[in-house]
C-alpha cells in the first residue's frame, strides 16, 4: 500500500478551541492537510483567516498573517478538514 493511501486515513482526535491554543490548532491542521489526513479540531469561532489559503508567504516560509507558523508554502491551509 502506498503512503498516500495510508496517510489519507490519518485523523486527529477532536479538540475544542478552549482546550488548545489557536497556534496548536493551526499547526495540527497544517500538518494533517499536508499529509492528506483529517483534523477534527475546532468547534466554530475560529478566525476567518484560517479558511483561506495562506498566500503571503515569503521565500523563508514565513507569513505575517500566521507569524507563529514556520516552513509555510504558498497555498497552505490552517483550516481543519473534517
Amino acid at each position: 500500500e502506498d503512503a498516500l493511501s495510508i496517510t489519507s486515513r490519518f485523523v486527529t482526535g477532536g479538540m475544542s478551541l478552549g482546550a488548545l491554543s489557536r497556534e496548536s490548532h493551526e499547526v495540527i491542521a497544517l500538518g494533517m492537510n499536508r499529509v492528506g489526513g483529517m483534523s477534527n479540531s475546532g468547534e466554530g469561532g475560529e478566525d476567518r483567516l484560517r479558511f483561506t489559503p495562506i498566500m503571503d508567504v515569503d521565500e523563508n516560509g514565513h507569513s505575517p498573517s500566521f507569524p507563529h507558523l514556520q516552513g509555510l508554502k504558498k497555498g497552505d491551509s490552517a483550516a481543519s478538514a473534517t
Side-chain angles (χ1 to χ4, degrees):
E1 188 171 10
D2 66 19
L4 185 58
S5 296
I6 294 169
T7 59
S8 69
R9 295 192 305 263
F10 288 2
V11 179
T12 64
M15 295 168 272
S16 72
L17 273 171
L20 293 176
S21 67
R22 170 188 171 171
E23 294 83 1
S24 297
H25 277 273
E26 292 171 359
V27 167
I28 291 167
L30 179 67
M32 292 303 286
N33 290 336
R34 282 197 179 167
V35 301
M38 290 189 286
S39 172
N40 184 21
S41 294
E43 58 197 19
E46 293 92 344
D47 188 333
R48 290 181 184 262
L49 187 59
R50 286 184 61 183
F51 300 103
T52 58
I54 305 169
M55 300 306 289
D56 61 344
V57 180
D58 67 19
E59 63 278 354
N60 297 313
H62 300 118
S63 164
S65 300
F66 295 88
H68 51 281
L69 298 177
Q70 305 296 312
L72 293 168
K73 300 173 188 169
K74 285 188 179 179
D76 271 340
S77 173
S80 297
T82 55

